Amino acid sequence: MDLAGLLRRRRPASSFRADPFERRRLDTVLEAGRYLPIAGPPACRAVVIEAPAIRARILQALQALPEQEAAADTLRPAPVLVALCDMSRGGIGRSAAWMAAAQMAAAAEEEGLAALVVQPPGGLRPPPALSLPPDWSVEALLALGLTAPRADRGEPPPESHRVEAYMAAEPLPRQVPAEGAERQVLLSLMEIASAAAAAEDMDGVLETIARALGRLFPVDGATLGLLEDGDILAREILRRGAAVRREAQRLPADGSHLLGWVITQRRPLWRNDLRSELRFAESLPAGAMRSDMVIPLKARGRVTGAFRVACRRRHAFEPEDFEVLQRCADVTAVAVETQRLLLATRRLSEVDGLTGVSNHRHLLGLLDQEVERARRAELPVSLLMIDIDDFKRVNDTHGHQTGDEVLRHVAQLVSKLLRRSDVVGRYGGEEFAVILPEADGEAALSIGETIRGEVERSPLVLQTLPRGLPVRVSVGVASLPDDAEGAAGLVSEADRGLYQAKRTGKNCVRHVSMSGR
């Protein structure tokens, strides 16, 4: 069957590089040829030709055929050859082989590979070494590989021997076998429920959910959007073949984009051709996705977020897939809500309720971790001890509520001045501690002075006070390995520096071992 007129897309590169490419890309291409609009038993089979001897025999047999010598020469450098075999003894399998080749060529293009398809006239009997039934025939050969640099390419082959890369002009629906499908869905739901109970973090739960769904339909990427403080925080959970962006993206909670529409409309959405999408301003990283399905996540009667699965292929999903995903919505929502509650509980156990920074226990645990990491990597780590000057006078003069505001004020100022890797915590009373990974004594002194100066320049402004309330702090500094060998010694030396700062007039920064310089 000649499908060139229907499936032709473009003239491909005329030569390959012999360099191998990742197995992941080949798996994606092979997956694209599995689903064909043919009822009944499979009519064709894709066989990857890996053994050099078999590959040589295939190309030799092709070269011996009239009008195929140039095509054989073109295929020879390709690192991967796939034989599309007719299993139907000359029946519908011949058309199926070409449909599969067309879909696989399109998938290869999406993966950044060159794909060339050759049709042996009258079929090609597979060599005995392929261990295939003798009544099968090779109806198409698909060559895959990286395109040779333009300078290395020869002249294009004659028109009669030119091979084309094809892609179906219309979507080719796939038949999902009914036998065992319900059992597979049930197993996936059980796996999702189990993940919700066992995983210790949100990403772990959702990665497990995405991989479980990937056994039911193709999933190349997954994204979670959660309502948070009037906005939607969108975060990638899974993306095959590329690094996942873990940092959340803040989006408006409205229908201007995909996740916002699903959340505000409280309805699922299925799109099978993202290139033709005109409804939304796409704000999520594209990642070469061409199809996606999104479901709203509902907890206790309200929508709390949306979960998206996506595929690199156009028309990758079927109505059955959309139904399965919606059946998974409730258990996914329960998993997400469970993790949100666990995170909130964990945060309460790690954060000081008044100031919003780490509490004493969590701070010391983080300090132990940073000290151990610094030892292994032979890097410095420093600690600042910060005490609010004359804090008792503030409480006695203006009341304890104003004292609480002073504590919050200082905690916020310190947090704004630190790097992302630094940690600030409330050590106790009016005292704070700051962990500075990879900072030596000189750097820690500079950071301490920056904090002291910013606090001095930023009086606390309250409606209950006639004017801004001046605040001052004293800072002690210690560094590892110069001043101490462990976390306890680091705290002790920083305390000594703080005591020296208090004795020498307050509102200053002191590092005991460097105070003579």
Side-chain angles (χ1 to χ4, degrees):
M1 179 179 180
D2 183 12
L3 301 180
L6 174 65
L7 304 179
R8 182 177 292 114
R9 183 176 186 185
R10 64 173 177 82
R11 178 179 296 183
S14 57
S15 60
F16 291 97
R17 284 159 49 189
D19 303 351
F21 55 86
E22 302 94 323
R23 181 75 192 193
R24 173 194 61 78
R25 290 182 170 183
L26 177 59
D27 291 341
T28 301
V29 173
L30 295 175
E31 182 75 10
R34 285 181 54 192
Y35 307 110
L36 300 172
I38 300 172
C44 76
R45 177 76 57 83
V47 179
V48 179
I49 303 171
E50 296 178 329
I54 301 176
R55 174 193 181 94
R57 291 180 188 177
I58 286 278
L59 292 174
Q60 184 178 5
L62 182 66
Q63 194 167 17
L65 293 173
E67 300 183 354
Q68 292 299 331
E69 183 177 354
D73 291 338
T74 303
L75 268 59
R76 186 168 283 106
V80 173
L81 288 183
V82 181
L84 282 303
C85 299
D86 172 16
M87 303 162 56
S88 65
R89 302 181 183 179
I92 197 171
R94 303 183 71 179
S95 300
W98 269 87
M99 290 181 181
Q103 294 184 161
M104 292 163 69
E109 188 174 280
E110 296 291 343
E111 287 291 321
L113 300 173
L116 303 182
V117 183
V118 171
Q119 180 182 19
L124 180 70
R125 293 299 171 190
L130 276 180
S131 301
L132 299 177
D135 55 349
W136 285 19
S137 62
V138 178
E139 294 298 325
L141 280 172
L142 175 67
L144 301 169
L146 302 172
T147 306
R150 187 171 301 275
D152 296 342
R153 300 178 192 172
E155 292 296 322
E159 187 71 19
S160 59
H161 300 303
R162 193 177 70 226
V163 285
E164 302 285 351
Y166 301 120
M167 184 176 76
E170 296 296 330
L172 298 176
R174 59 184 165 95
Q175 298 293 326
V176 179
E179 183 178 356
E182 287 295 325
R183 180 175 182 273
Q184 184 62 38
V185 171
L186 179 60
L187 289 175
S188 294
L189 288 172
M190 292 173 63
E191 185 174 352
I192 292 170
S194 176
E200 297 182 356
D201 60 274
M202 182 82 77
D203 288 346
V205 168
L206 291 169
E207 282 183 17
T208 301
I209 291 174
R211 296 185 192 282
L213 293 173
R215 297 187 182 95
L216 304 176
F217 43 75
V219 176
D220 291 323
T223 306
L224 173 70
L226 292 177
L227 283 171
E228 198 89 26
D229 298 329
D231 291 326
I232 297 174
L233 294 183
R235 187 168 82 257
E236 275 189 305
I237 301 300
L238 175 73
R239 188 172 3 147
R240 292 181 181 172
V244 174
R245 296 181 177 90
R246 290 298 188 190
E247 290 190 17
Q249 181 181 0
R250 188 172 291 274
L251 303 173
D254 57 34
S256 62
H257 57 94
L258 170 65
L259 297 180
W261 188 91
V262 170
I263 291 173
T264 56
Q265 298 295 317
R266 305 170 63 93
R267 291 168 52 192
L269 185 64
W270 166 28
R271 306 182 300 172
N272 253 352
D273 188 357
L274 302 191
R275 285 181 172 175
S276 62
E277 176 62 76
L278 299 175
R279 288 171 290 181
F280 309 118
E282 290 296 331
S283 48
L284 297 175
M289 300 303 171
R290 298 291 179 263
S291 309
D292 64 12
M293 299 186 293
V294 191
I295 51 173
L297 302 178
K298 301 176 183 178
R300 298 189 296 273
R302 62 187 184 91
V303 175
T304 59
F307 184 56
R308 175 200 188 216
V309 294
C311 182
R312 292 188 178 94
R313 291 190 283 113
R314 293 173 62 246
H315 300 283
F317 303 118
E318 296 294 331
E320 295 86 350
D321 302 332
F322 194 42
E323 180 182 350
V324 167
L325 184 63
Q326 292 179 77
R327 290 167 65 180
C328 296
D330 288 342
V331 68
T332 303
V334 169
V336 170
E337 189 64 17
T338 300
Q339 285 301 313
R340 292 184 75 170
L341 293 175
L342 288 175
L343 288 173
T345 303
R346 188 179 303 164
R347 178 173 174 79
L348 288 175
S349 69
E350 297 175 350
V351 174
D352 177 65
L354 177 63
T355 60
V357 299
S358 296
N359 60 26
H360 179 89
R361 178 181 176 183
H362 186 52
L363 180 75
L364 292 184
L366 293 176
L367 180 61
D368 287 335
Q369 294 176 19
E370 286 299 332
V371 166
E372 183 60 30
R373 189 178 75 88
R375 282 173 174 167
R376 290 196 308 268
E378 297 183 354
L379 293 171
V381 60
S382 295
L383 182 70
L384 306 181
M385 298 296 289
I386 303 172
D387 187 83
I388 300 175
D389 296 334
D390 302 318
F391 184 70
K392 184 176 183 302
R393 183 187 304 170
V394 172
N395 281 334
D396 293 343
T397 305
H398 301 285
H400 288 278
Q401 288 185 342
T402 301
D404 290 347
E405 292 297 333
V406 170
L407 290 171
R408 279 192 282 265
H409 175 66
V410 171
Q412 291 172 4
L413 287 175
V414 174
S415 298
K416 290 178 181 178
L417 296 172
L418 296 179
R419 304 168 300 175
R420 184 172 297 180
S421 59
D422 302 334
V423 178
V424 57
R426 188 177 178 189
Y427 195 77
E430 68 272 23
E431 197 169 351
F432 296 88
V434 177
I435 304 171
L436 302 172
E438 301 183 24
D440 58 15
E442 293 282 359
L445 268 175
S446 176
I447 295 172
E449 180 58 34
T450 299
I451 291 173
R452 186 210 63 77
E454 183 65 21
V455 172
E456 185 178 25
R457 290 189 295 270
S458 306
L460 174 65
V461 177
L462 296 174
Q463 292 182 350
T464 56
L465 298 176
R467 63 181 64 87
L469 179 65
V471 182
R472 308 284 188 271
V473 295
S474 298
V475 183
V477 180
S479 299
L480 182 145
D482 294 340
D483 305 321
E485 297 181 354
L490 208 55
V491 172
S492 177
E493 287 300 307
D495 258 336
R496 285 182 60 201
L498 179 61
Y499 179 71
Q500 189 179 83
K502 290 287 189 182
R503 287 182 56 193
T504 54
K506 305 178 183 179
N507 190 28
C508 59
V509 182
R510 292 290 182 267
H511 187 169
V512 172
S513 64
M514 302 176 66
S515 58
R517 302 183 191 179

